[in-house]
Amino acid sequence: MGNVSRNALYPATFTREEVITKGATVSLVAGQFTPIGEYTVKADEIVGLGRGALVAQNEAIGRFYAAFYDNAGTPVAITQGKFRIMLLSSQDMPIGSKPVYLDVDLAALTTGASIPADRFVLPFDDTLLSQDRKFQFLIKVPTATTLSKANSTVLLDVTRALL
């Protein structure tokens, strides 16, 4: 990883396009974590979840809102279960001292649809992934269901820098 100054960091937001990458629908298996997508860090970039510790960067508070829905004719919110973010190497091996970066109830992510201050506070611990490393996104539900990308909404604050 090249040198990066703190001034080079900038705020960004992952949407469902970066988080749900396993297809238009994803079959969620009851009782186990099912990958719904992953983001691979590009060359000359570093990415961290949440907001970096910059004075002018939205007061450095990262937020996370997610409303996952099934693919029924009348979509139903998926609020029972857990959402997990894993940190992976380019060989899909867990990395770091805390490879399970976040493990949170799905219901906790559904507040703040229109008021960002009400969204889940996302910690930032100076963990920045570099080229070819991955953020993997998983969901665990008590009852099998099919996740619909088109019906779901994701707003996940991230910190980025170009090297």
Side-chain angles (χ1 to χ4, degrees):
M1 186 168 86
N3 292 333
V4 62
S5 76
R6 283 247 171 231
N7 296 330
L9 296 173
Y10 65 92
T13 302
F14 282 174
T15 65
R16 69 179 175 216
E17 299 305 318
E18 290 86 10
V19 174
I20 306 172
T21 61
K22 295 293 182 182
T25 60
V26 181
S27 297
L28 302 177
V29 179
Q32 71 181 46
F33 279 98
T34 304
I36 63 166
E38 65 186 25
Y39 178 82
T40 303
V41 179
K42 297 169 182 58
D44 299 329
E45 175 186 51
I46 57 174
V47 179
L49 300 176
R51 292 285 191 237
L54 298 178
V55 175
Q57 191 172 310
N58 296 340
E59 282 73 50
I61 297 175
R63 304 287 181 171
F64 185 15
Y65 170 80
F68 296 107
Y69 283 85
D70 66 15
N71 68 338
T74 302
V76 175
I78 303 170
T79 58
Q80 299 296 311
K82 294 270 191 184
F83 182 85
R84 176 175 282 178
I85 300 174
M86 295 280 300
L87 306 179
L88 301 177
S89 71
S90 59
Q91 289 89 26
D92 293 327
M93 299 294 295
I95 58 172
S97 60
K98 185 181 167 189
V100 176
Y101 189 83
L102 182 69
D103 207 5
V104 63
D105 289 334
L106 288 170
L109 301 176
T110 61
T111 59
S114 59
I115 303 172
D118 292 344
R119 295 177 185 161
F120 181 81
V121 175
L122 191 61
F124 183 82
D125 61 2
D126 282 329
T127 299
L128 294 163
L129 297 187
S130 59
Q131 181 178 350
D132 295 333
R133 288 175 176 80
K134 302 172 186 178
F135 295 100
Q136 183 180 49
F137 308 103
L138 307 101
I139 292 180
K140 179 180 176 181
V141 290
T143 306
T145 191
T146 302
L147 172 70
S148 168
K149 181 176 184 174
N151 295 334
S152 299
T153 303
V154 178
L155 298 169
L156 173 59
D157 289 341
V158 299
T159 296
R160 286 183 149 150
L162 296 176
L163 303 177

